[in-house]
Amino acid sequence: MQLIGFYLFLVFEKFLMFLPRSWRKSFFYTLGTFAYHVSKRYGRVVEQNVKFVYGDDVLPEFINKIKRHSFKQMLLNVMHTMESRYYAPEEIVENIKFENLEIVQKAQQEKRPIIFVTGHYGSWELAGRALSFSIEPILIIYKKMKNKYFENYLLNSREKWKMSYAERHGAMKAMLKTLRGGRAMAILIDTNVNKKEAIEVEFLGHKIGQIQTTAYFARKFNAALIPALIHTEDDENFTIKFYDEIIAPKTNDEKKDLQVSTQMQTDWLSKEILKKPEPWFWLHRRFKEDYPDIYKKD
């Protein structure tokens, strides 16, 4: 059944890619609106997340605004993945500019490995591809999917963008090879984390477990920790913004230094999300490991 469903998806994809881009974009907008109205399960997740971050007295209008944007953004990421399989990279990056590029260039000139710190924010699928193709080829870490056909579909869609990838379980070897070679990788720091692998920090006003991989490797390899997010006002023209390198303390207390570095990263991402919350991926149960009660059904 998985294979049949995948082949049907490919047929539908080909049909969509025959359409003018404006029609295709309108289709995904409409699909996002439809999902907003019918997906009670994921709509509830958005509401639970928003109330957890902003409090139970948050206005319903604000929650609905976040819901609408979340579903739209999810579908636009699907559209960008499709288009990346059919269009040449040069065509897609025409509408993408880079802000504060000198931050990356400085690390490149110093011949230091780079760890791009980012999150599920805006068109993150597009951001990873554009960054890898135009600025610095990157290694990405992915989570194994239940459907192997869609997993291969997603991974294959990234190859012509100079991206390499490693599955999360057993990715250590690939990360070590990348950083020892002075190359770059990108890490999404806003994923749910097993407590055994986590370090405690504050994120969006709450104590949570957070991955310390970025902090550990930056310390070990003198890698540049460079935050990056993609922004847009019209879903047509995009800006990938690089933020100041996160320079953590390096003392004899390694454990404390890693905690400080990780907190600096989550402080940055929290600030950006609270500044403009709509593009963040509120559909994800980010807090389920630390606060499972917030996702219980009413």
Side-chain angles (χ1 to χ4, degrees):
M1 287 300 293
Q2 284 189 352
L3 182 59
I4 294 174
F6 177 65
Y7 279 138
L8 290 174
F9 170 79
L10 290 181
V11 171
F12 187 54
E13 176 193 61
K14 192 167 288 292
F15 165 74
L16 287 174
M17 292 306 300
F18 273 121
L19 298 176
R21 192 174 190 279
S22 59
W23 292 17
R24 185 165 57 250
K25 184 178 174 183
S26 295
F27 168 80
F28 280 102
Y29 273 171
T30 302
L31 194 59
T33 301
F34 177 75
Y36 161 77
H37 286 293
V38 304
S39 182
K40 303 300 181 183
R41 176 187 175 189
Y42 287 102
R44 185 183 298 114
V45 171
V46 175
E47 183 172 349
Q48 290 162 335
N49 281 330
V50 172
K51 286 185 175 181
F52 181 66
V53 172
Y54 288 94
D56 289 334
D57 57 348
V58 64
L59 294 175
E61 293 83 1
F62 180 71
I63 295 175
N64 287 330
K65 181 182 179 182
I66 297 291
K67 281 183 186 180
R68 284 183 177 275
H69 196 100
S70 295
F71 283 109
K72 182 195 79 170
Q73 192 62 62
M74 179 181 67
L75 270 301
L76 286 180
N77 270 289
V78 174
M79 184 185 78
H80 291 142
T81 300
M82 284 185 177
E83 291 178 344
S84 72
R85 284 165 38 83
Y86 284 80
Y87 293 145
E90 292 84 358
E91 292 180 82
I92 294 179
V93 299
E94 283 181 353
N95 296 326
I96 301 173
K97 64 180 182 178
F98 299 90
E99 185 176 338
N100 301 329
L101 184 56
E102 66 275 5
I103 295 172
V104 180
Q105 291 172 333
K106 179 177 181 292
Q108 291 172 325
Q109 290 165 3
E110 294 170 350
K111 300 188 183 304
R112 298 167 63 201
I114 300 173
I115 301 174
F116 291 106
V117 178
T118 188
H120 293 87
Y121 190 92
S123 298
W124 67 83
E125 284 286 343
L126 179 62
R129 288 169 169 79
L131 193 160
S132 186
F133 181 78
S134 300
I135 307 301
E136 181 83 15
I138 58 172
L139 168 74
I140 60 165
I141 310 302
Y142 72 94
K143 182 180 179 181
K144 195 172 185 65
M145 299 174 66
K146 293 180 180 179
N147 189 315
K148 66 178 182 179
Y149 302 106
F150 280 104
E151 179 180 296
N152 290 333
Y153 167 91
L154 183 60
L155 296 178
N156 291 338
S157 74
R158 295 167 171 166
E159 287 184 347
K160 68 179 179 181
W161 295 82
K162 305 179 184 178
M163 302 173 81
S164 56
Y165 45 82
E167 203 276 320
R168 185 175 66 177
H169 299 290
M172 185 67 69
K173 183 177 179 180
M175 291 190 286
L176 289 172
K177 183 178 179 180
T178 296
L179 296 173
R180 283 173 179 159
R183 298 189 297 275
M185 63 182 186
I187 302 289
L188 296 156
I189 65 170
D190 56 350
T191 55
N192 192 48
V193 185
N194 187 302
K195 285 186 177 182
K196 295 179 181 179
E197 305 170 354
I199 188 170
E200 187 179 85
V201 294
E202 185 173 302
F203 177 58
L204 293 174
H206 296 276
K207 294 290 185 181
I208 63 160
Q210 176 72 19
I211 59 169
Q212 55 182 322
T213 308
T214 48
Y216 174 77
F217 280 134
R219 180 186 178 93
K220 182 175 178 63
F221 293 99
N222 188 32
L225 273 178
I226 300 178
L229 287 177
I230 189 167
H231 302 277
T232 184
E233 296 297 331
D234 58 7
D235 296 323
E236 285 291 338
N237 301 285
F238 299 87
T239 298
I240 295 177
K241 181 178 179 180
F242 301 107
Y243 298 78
D244 289 338
E245 179 185 345
I246 293 174
I247 302 176
K250 193 169 185 179
T251 69
N252 292 328
D253 190 342
E254 180 177 354
K255 183 178 180 180
K256 182 178 180 181
D257 291 348
L258 293 179
Q259 201 279 331
V260 170
S261 175
T262 306
Q263 184 63 67
M264 292 171 74
Q265 295 169 55
T266 52
D267 283 347
W268 159 75
L269 186 56
S270 292
K271 180 181 177 182
E272 292 304 308
I273 292 172
L274 294 175
K275 186 188 302 182
K276 190 173 182 181
E278 293 91 340
W280 192 51
F281 193 51
W282 294 91
L283 290 160
H284 174 227
R285 292 180 175 87
R286 171 61 185 91
F287 308 102
K288 68 179 181 180
E289 189 71 25
D290 299 283
Y291 303 93
D293 287 350
I294 72 172
Y295 298 112
K296 288 183 178 179
K297 294 183 179 180
D298 298 332

